[in-house]
Every structure is written in C-alpha cells, then in structure tokens.
Amino acid sequence: MMMVTKSLQLVVLLVSCLTIITIECANATQNPNIYSVNPTIVHSAVSKGAVCLDGSPPAYYFEPGFGDGAENWIVHLSGGAWCMNVTDCQRRSEGSNGSSKKMGQLNFQGIHSKNDSQNPDFYNWNKVVVAYCDGGSFIGDSEYIDPSNNSSKNLQFRGQKIFYAVLEELLEKGLKNAKNALLAGGSAGGYPAILYCDYFRDSLPINSRVKCLVDSGYFVHFKNPVLERFWSWRYGGVAALQGAAKTLPKSCTSKMKAELCLYAENIQEYTKTPFFLYMSAFDNIETQYTLGDEKYTTIDEGLGSACLNASLREMRSDFLNAIPKGNDPKHRGVFIDAMHHHTSLMTRWSFEVALEINNVLAPIAFADWYFDRKYRYLIDEIHTMPIKNTFKQVTYVH
C-alpha cells in the first residue's frame, strides 16, 4: 500500500514538473512583438440593439495587462473603409467586417506589442481592439429592411450602439478603475476616436489621465471640387445609410449637412479632451480615393506628371490647413510625416520601423505628449512631395 502511494506521489510530481516546464517553455518562445488573440463576442449587446450589419453580436479582442500596467488601458477602434450603398453593405455583411460569425483571431502588434524594449510605454497595458462590423465608423443607428421581405438582405447600421455596449462591458471588466487610458482609432476608426473622445473621458475617474489618438483617420474636405468629388459621394452614402443626421452632434449638424460632419476637421473643435493626430500628409488611402487606384505606384515611385504633382501639393496644403493648429500642443499634438503610407499603430510602432521627424521617432513623440513629458507638434516641413513607402521587415530575436 505504501509502495503504491509513493508511486502515485511520484507520478503527480512528475506531471506537475512537466506542466511547469511546458508553460515556461511556451512563455519563453512566445514572440512578444506579435501574438494572436481570439475575439470576445458581446452576446448581451444584442438586447440593446447593438449588432453588426448582419444582426450578429459585436465583438472585441482583449489582452490583459500585467505588472504596473494592469490598471492602464488602450481601447483601439478598428478601421476598414466604409460601405456606401445597400449592395455594398450586403456584400460586406458576409465577411468579418460585417459579421462576428466570420471573425477569427487577430494579430496584436505595434502599440499592442508586449516587448518592453520596442514598446516601453504601453507594453504591459490592458489592450483592446474593438472589431469594426457596422460599415460606418461606429456612428450609425438605423436599419435597412429589404422590400421583398428577404430577411437575409436586411441590414443593421448600429455602430453607435456597438461603441456604447462594448465600452459598458469594458468598464465592468476594469476600465472604470483605469489610472491611464487611451482611446485610439485607425483609418475609419480614427474619426470616432475624436467623436467619442469626451464620452470616453467622462466614463472614467476624474483623476485618471485620459487622452485620444487618431491614426490616419483625419480625411479632409478639399476645396477643389475635382479632388473632393469622390469623398462627397462616399460620405454622402455613409451619412444617408447610417442615419448620421440623427446620431452626430447637433453642434455640427445644426450648421451643415450631416455628411460634412463626417470630416474630422468639422467636429474636432467641439472635443474638449486632448487628442493626438498621427498621419501622413500624403496618406495613401487619401491619395487612392482622391486620385484613383491606378495612380498609387506612380505616386509611390515619384513619377507623377506635373499635373499630378500639383494636385498632391494642393492636397497637402488643404490637409495642413485643416488639422488642429500648433498654438495648443497640450490639447492637440500632431506627428505629420510625408511617407506615402496609411496607419501606423499596428505596423510602424516599434523603434526599428518607426518614422521620425526632426530626429524624434513617432512612438516617442506620442508617449512624450501622452505622459505630459513634452507636448509634441511635429510636421515634416522638408518633404513637400511624397516619400516612397519603404517598410523594413524586422526579424525579432526572442
């Protein structure tokens, strides 16, 4: 009997040791720069009317913080363009940008990296990426009912309710006790990072440091109608489908059409909470949507005609005139580069691939501004034409 007991104890001890070794080996080999996160489906949101285009519940991706970052939070609103008409939105509802049924794992990297040497200010924060499945920058609260009574073609435009429902769950998850918090958004998610910045601030303790970050989502209203024509069509469709006249701030819609209120320049003055804009003066989505897909390589290679180059200079001028002025960098910081690229939070945040202006790397400029170390307002004034989009692939040793 004693022999059996000792043998059993030996087996238990061996299994425990193997388990510990396995866990330690897994942690040791995990790449902290990029790792996969599963979606969290917010089933409770459905009863609140917060659903994706196809009526499925919204979702977010969450990686818990640790160490002295356990009470700090990044909430990152995803981007992914817009749908402008019913057919476009029905097509979108069949994929991950319109249905949580189609969502899989998401690779966290960049500002979500857990590498303290490449992302020293945010590596151990709670990290959230809110899935984008409403097609309208989280602004809508309307629906489309198919006239032929084919329910599979019905559409729900509930981005505003998605934002509120996900935020409510995150607050209960610990965000309500945050010491430091950041609402960020990239591309189509950049506009709502301004739109909801004050609401986000007001949802958190008064003594918390709360700021917002717009990553390549400050698309401007060009003065030249030839440059503006595709944006007017795009935003006109989004505003109509999403019911923007009802959901966007009356401080803006009482003065202009709802589609004009989709330009960040027309709402940013009403935002009291500090925000930081990181974007290229030659954002390649801005140039693509404005000048046409076929011009991408020509612009990237610097082979534009005199007419094309004049348009690029005009676009840069309008952009720089539309962004917040530099007289109050504490409340409106910027990092405006000249590379022909789009978004940086996920791809260009590590020091080895980050862009710089005046010998200051973008992630350092932002962190200085966020933590009140130095209020940065940096614009590349040297390059008045696009710099080729070179992206250095980095092989990390871990």
Side-chain angles (χ1 to χ4, degrees), residues 55-338:
S56 61
Y60 62 89
Y61 297 83
F62 174 64
E63 181 70 16
F66 55 93
D68 60 7
E71 294 180 291
N72 301 329
W73 288 72
I74 300 173
V75 178
H76 185 172
L77 303 176
S78 294
W82 311 268
C83 53
M84 283 72 68
N85 54 59
V86 168
T87 301
D88 191 19
C89 292
Q90 286 173 337
R91 189 181 305 115
R92 187 183 180 103
S93 71
E94 297 171 357
S96 60
N97 278 344
S99 172
S100 61
K101 297 175 184 177
K102 305 292 184 178
M103 293 176 189
Q105 290 185 326
L106 179 68
N107 285 337
F108 272 30
Q109 54 187 318
I111 199 170
H112 303 300
S113 161
K114 291 190 278 190
N115 185 337
D116 60 349
S117 66
Q118 292 295 319
N119 185 32
D121 291 291
F122 305 101
Y123 75 98
N124 60 355
W125 284 33
N126 292 281
K127 304 168 184 73
V128 178
V129 175
V130 183
Y132 177 37
C133 65
D134 64 281
S137 288
F138 297 92
I139 67 161
D141 190 13
S142 65
E143 65 181 352
Y144 167 80
I145 303 299
D146 180 63
S148 65
N149 294 319
N150 184 346
S151 60
S152 67
K153 294 185 177 181
N154 292 347
L155 294 166
Q156 297 294 322
F157 304 106
R158 306 295 183 183
Q160 185 181 72
K161 288 184 175 180
I162 288 174
F163 176 81
Y164 291 145
V166 172
L167 181 61
E168 182 180 345
E169 179 156 313
L170 295 176
L171 288 168
E172 291 305 309
K173 213 175 186 80
L175 176 60
K176 64 182 177 182
N177 300 316
K179 291 182 178 178
N180 296 288
L182 172 66
L183 177 64
S187 192
Y191 173 85
I194 298 177
L195 179 66
Y196 297 119
C197 190
D198 286 344
Y199 186 89
F200 185 73
R201 157 69 278 182
D202 293 342
S203 300
L204 300 175
I206 193 169
N207 294 325
S208 302
R209 178 189 281 112
V210 181
K211 300 183 182 182
C212 301
L213 171 60
V214 181
D215 176 23
S216 303
Y218 201 101
F219 303 109
V220 303
H221 186 260
F222 295 116
K223 297 174 184 177
N224 185 334
V226 176
L227 296 176
E228 178 58 30
R229 64 191 188 280
F230 290 117
W231 287 100
S232 296
W233 165 76
R234 198 172 296 277
Y235 279 171
V238 171
L241 285 174
Q242 301 285 338
K246 180 180 67 173
T247 61
L248 294 182
K250 296 301 179 188
S251 53
C252 184
T253 56
S254 63
K255 297 177 182 178
M256 61 187 74
K257 293 180 180 179
E259 55 262 38
L260 293 177
C261 294
L262 288 175
Y263 293 93
E265 66 196 88
N266 292 330
I267 65 161
Q268 68 90 12
E269 64 182 288
Y270 306 113
T271 301
K272 298 176 183 177
T273 306
F275 74 80
F276 191 95
L277 170 60
Y278 180 12
M279 189 166 177
S280 172
F282 301 104
D283 181 272
N284 65 24
I285 292 298
E286 187 97 72
T287 61
Q288 177 187 339
Y289 286 177
T290 305
L291 302 171
D293 296 351
E294 70 280 3
K295 300 291 197 305
Y296 183 94
T297 301
T298 302
I299 295 170
D300 210 38
E301 296 291 343
L303 300 175
S305 64
C307 182
L308 177 61
N309 290 342
S311 293
L312 289 167
R313 291 190 185 96
E314 185 178 353
M315 290 170 64
R316 178 181 185 271
S317 177
D318 282 358
F319 174 76
L320 294 180
N321 285 329
I323 67 174
K325 300 300 179 275
N327 58 327
D328 187 15
K330 180 177 180 179
H331 289 92
R332 298 289 188 270
V334 306
F335 186 97
I336 307 299
D337 65 87

